[in-house]
Amino acid sequence: MPKFHLSLTVNGEARELLIDPRRTLLDVLRDELDLRGAHRGCDSGDCGACTVLLDGKPITSCMILAADCDGSTVTTVEGITPAGGLHPVQKALVEKGGIQCGFCTPGMVMAAIGLLNENPNPTEHDVREGLAGNLCRCTGYKKIVEAVLSVEESKA
Amino acid sequence: MQPFDYFSPKTLPEAVEILSRHNGDARVVAGGTDLLLKMKGGRLAPKAIVNIKRLAELRGISETSNSKLQTPNYHLPITTIGALTTLEELRRSPIIRERYPSLCDAANTMASVQIRNLATVGGNMCNAAPSADLAPIFIALDASAVIAGPGGERRVPLEEFFVGPGKTVLESGELLASLEAPPPVGPSLYLKHSPRAHMDIAVVGVGLAAQLSGGVCESARIVLGAVAPVPLRVRRAEAELIGGPFSAERIDRAAKIAAEEAQPIDDVRGAVWYRRKMVEVLVRRGLTAIGGIEN
Ligand SMILES: Cc1cc2nc3c(=O)[nH]c(=O)nc-3n(C[C@H](O)[C@H](O)[C@H](O)COP(=O)(O)OP(=O)(O)OC[C@H]3O[C@@H](n4cnc5c(N)ncnc54)[C@H](O)[C@@H]3O)c2cc1C
Ligand code: FES
Ligand code: FES
C-alpha cells in the first residue's frame, strides 16, 4: 500500500510525514510525533481521552484518519502548556482537585479549552454539555466542572 | 484494518469517477465516525477510501428561491444543507435555528461536541442506521436527498432514500450531495428516548411536523426512528389526525395507532413491548406539545 504524504501544523510547527493511510490522527500524534499527551482510552469515540483541537475545534483524534487532516492545524495538550508553567485550565484543575489518576486530564483540558474559546462565560450546564464526551474513570466530575467554571471567574 | 487505496479528490466529477471506477468496492469517508468504527472492528474492509471533505459543492447551508409552485408556502425559500455540514454546524446555524428549530433539537441530543465537530449530516443519512437521529425529523420536514452520480444529479424524497439497515438507494458511483428542506408548514419537533441524555443512541426517536389552522389539522407527518429496519412514516396515525380538530382524543388515538404500526425488535436497548409503549408515549407527548405551539 502506498504511503501518504501528510502535511500538518502541530502545536505551531510545520510537519511533513510519510504515513500508512490506515493511521488515525491519534496514532500519528503518539507513535510518529512522540506526543503522548492525547491518550488512547477506548479508540472508539466514547471516552474523549484523545481530544485535541483540529483547526481550533475539539475532536476525538481516534476517530479521524490522519490523511483526512492533511493541511490542517492540530493543537495537543503539549501545545497549550507554557514552558515550566501551566495553562489556566490546568492550573484550575490542580487547585480545585480536578485531577486524580490523570488519565482523562489531557482530554478534559483540551475539551475545556475548546469550550472556553467558543464561550468564555459558560454556565454549569454549558460546562457539563461541553464535557459530556469525556469520561473520568475516577469519576471526579464535580471538581472538574468546578475547576472549569473557576477559570471563567478568574478571567472576569 | 485491511489495506486500502486512499483518494482525496478536489472536485465532484473526480470523486464520482473514482467511485464509479471501483464499482462498489470504494467507500466514501466524510466525518468517519461511523465508518472508522466498522473498519476498526473488521466489519467493513473497502478496497478504496474516498475522502470527500475537499468537495466545496457538498458544503454549506443556503437558501434558494422556491420554484415548485405546488408546494405549500412556495413564496418562501428552500433550504439546502450540504452533505458535509457537521452536526455542530447544523445546531449552530442561524438559518436552521430560525426556520427548523427541531433540527437543532435533534442535533443537540447527538453524541458529544468532539464527535459533532466531525460527524456530518450526509454520513448520518448514508450510514442508514435505523436509529439515526436526523432521519425521522428530516423526513417529517419533507426533505429530499440530492444525489450526484455519473448520470448527473437526481432527487429522491428522503422517505424513499432508506432501503434497510445500512442500505440506501445510492448506487455505485453515486454520493449524497445535500438535503433540501421545503419551507416549514408549521411546528415540528424531535423527541428522543435513550437511557442517557448524552452519548447514547435512540431507543425510540420521533419526528413530528404538522400544519394547523384554527385548531384543525391540515397535514401531519409522524416518523419513527429505531423501531423498524428504516425510519418509518406511520400513515394510519397521520390519517387519524388530518382533517379534524387537533384534540386530546384524536392525539391519543393517533399515538396508539403509531405504536401498532411500529415494527420494533428486541435488543439490548429495549424489548418490543417497551419500544411500542414508548412510541405511544412520545407521539402523544410530542403532538400535545405541537398543539401548544400553535396556540
Ligand atoms: C461516540 C459516538 C456517538 C454517536 N452518537 C450518535 C447519536 O447520538 N445519534 C446518531 O444518530 N448517531 C450517532 N453516532 C453515529 C455517527 O456519529 C453519525 O451517524 C454521523 O452523523 C455519521 O457521519 P460521518 O460523517 O461521521 O459518517 P462517515 O463515517 O464518514 O460515513 C458513514 C457512512 O456513510 C457513507 N457516506 C458518508 N457521507 C456520504 C455521502 N455524502 N455520500 C455517500 N455516502 C456517504 C460512508 O461511506 C459510510 O458508509 C455516534 C457515533 C459515535 C462514535
Ligand atoms: S480514545 Fe478516542 S474517544 Fe476514547
Ligand atoms: S482522573 Fe482518573 S480518569 Fe479522570
Side-chain angles (χ1 to χ4, degrees):
Chain A
M1 186 168 49
K3 296 261 182 191
F4 181 84
H5 182 119
L6 176 68
S7 307
L8 278 182
T9 302
V10 183
N11 299 331
E13 222 179 297
R15 309 297 295 252
E16 304 279 333
L17 298 148
L18 277 180
I19 60 157
D20 180 327
R22 288 174 291 185
R23 298 284 85 88
T24 63
L25 178 60
L26 179 63
D27 297 334
V28 166
L29 291 173
R30 291 182 61 85
D31 304 338
E32 313 273 340
L33 297 175
D34 253 357
L35 294 167
R36 305 277 164 81
H39 289 167
R40 192 187 310 275
C42 63
D43 214 26
S44 58
D46 288 307
C47 76
C50 65
T51 302
V52 301
L53 305 184
L54 180 66
D55 296 324
K57 293 183 190 134
I59 56 121
T60 43
S61 59
C62 70
M63 290 304 287
I64 184 165
L65 291 174
D68 286 2
C69 305
D70 192 34
S72 301
T73 296
V74 179
T75 309
T76 70
V77 71
E78 290 89 344
I80 57 90
T81 311
L86 291 176
H87 182 279
V89 170
Q90 293 172 311
K91 207 178 282 174
L93 282 166
V94 172
E95 281 167 7
K96 297 280 171 180
I99 299 177
Q100 296 183 60
C101 78
F103 187 82
C104 70
T105 309
M108 290 283 181
V109 168
M110 297 315 289
I113 290 175
L115 171 72
L116 293 168
N117 284 347
E118 290 279 344
N119 177 1
N121 290 299
T123 61
E124 181 181 338
H125 177 79
D126 297 336
V127 173
R128 288 188 180 274
E129 294 253 293
L131 300 181
N134 295 77
L135 297 181
C136 173
R137 63 188 173 182
C138 303
T139 68
Y141 295 106
K142 192 160 190 295
K143 293 195 185 280
I144 293 170
V145 172
E146 281 169 17
V148 177
L149 284 167
S150 78
V151 176
E152 183 262 311
E153 282 159 23
S154 64
K155 273 196 301 198
Chain B
M1 264 190 238
Q2 295 298 310
F4 51 76
D5 291 328
Y6 181 86
F7 299 91
S8 197
K10 293 194 179 58
T11 66
L12 188 53
E14 206 185 327
V16 166
E17 191 277 316
I18 298 167
L19 288 170
S20 307
R21 172 151 46 93
H22 284 86
N23 204 13
D25 284 338
R27 277 279 167 165
V28 158
V29 62
T33 60
D34 277 315
L35 186 69
L36 249 56
L37 267 190
K38 290 184 184 170
M39 288 173 63
K40 286 181 185 187
R43 281 174 286 147
L44 215 58
K47 295 217 167 61
I49 289 288
V50 183
N51 171 24
I52 56 170
K53 282 189 280 292
R54 291 178 210 286
L55 307 181
E57 299 95 325
L58 272 53
R59 283 200 180 280
I61 297 174
S62 59
E63 296 186 301
T64 44
S65 67
N66 184 355
S67 54
K68 294 179 199 147
L69 286 175
Q70 72 277 24
T71 59
N73 296 339
Y74 60 85
H75 55 287
L76 297 173
I78 289 179
T79 304
T80 302
I81 297 150
L84 289 176
T85 304
T86 65
L87 303 182
E88 196 59 19
E89 285 164 356
L90 185 75
R91 73 186 270 269
R92 286 162 175 267
S93 155
I95 295 178
I96 300 299
R97 210 166 269 235
E98 191 193 317
R99 301 192 74 204
Y100 312 95
S102 53
L103 280 176
C104 291
D105 296 344
N108 281 338
T109 70
M110 296 171 75
S112 60
V113 63
Q114 291 99 318
I115 296 289
R116 288 193 306 266
N117 275 327
L118 295 173
T120 65
V121 171
N124 197 237
M125 298 303 113
C126 296
N127 192 57
S131 61
D133 282 306
L134 294 180
I137 187 63
F138 266 119
I139 294 172
L141 292 169
D142 199 12
S144 302
V146 181
I147 297 171
E153 207 174 79
R154 64 180 178 120
R155 279 173 175 68
V156 174
L158 190 61
E159 195 186 338
E160 294 162 20
F161 182 75
F162 302 97
V163 177
K167 289 207 173 63
T168 68
V169 298
L170 287 180
E171 291 181 12
S172 150
E174 287 188 324
L175 48 79
L176 180 66
S178 62
L179 295 181
E180 277 182 355
V185 293
S188 62
L189 212 59
Y190 180 68
L191 296 178
K192 171 176 178 174
H193 179 62
S194 60
R196 296 166 67 201
H198 288 281
M199 298 297 283
D200 210 348
I201 63 171
V203 175
V204 174
V206 177
L208 299 168
Q211 184 180 12
L212 307 176
S213 89
V216 172
C217 179
E218 307 273 347
S219 74
R221 289 168 78 98
I222 305 176
V223 190
L224 309 179
V227 292
V230 293
L232 185 71
R233 244 189 104 179
V234 282
R235 289 170 188 274
R236 280 202 295 125
E238 292 173 1
E240 187 64 29
L241 291 169
I242 296 167
F246 209 62
S247 63
E249 299 77 60
R250 292 170 74 102
I251 287 176
D252 187 57
R253 277 208 300 276
K256 292 200 164 93
I257 295 171
E260 281 169 25
E261 284 182 89
Q263 309 157 16
I265 53 162
D266 278 315
D267 69 10
V268 286
R269 291 177 183 275
V272 165
W273 70 267
Y274 178 71
R275 284 193 151 108
R276 266 195 216 287
K277 187 70 196 167
M278 289 316 294
V279 166
E280 181 187 327
V281 168
L282 292 190
V283 170
R284 186 187 299 114
R285 187 180 296 165
L287 290 173
T288 306
I290 279 186
I293 298 172
E294 152 83 347
N295 294 327

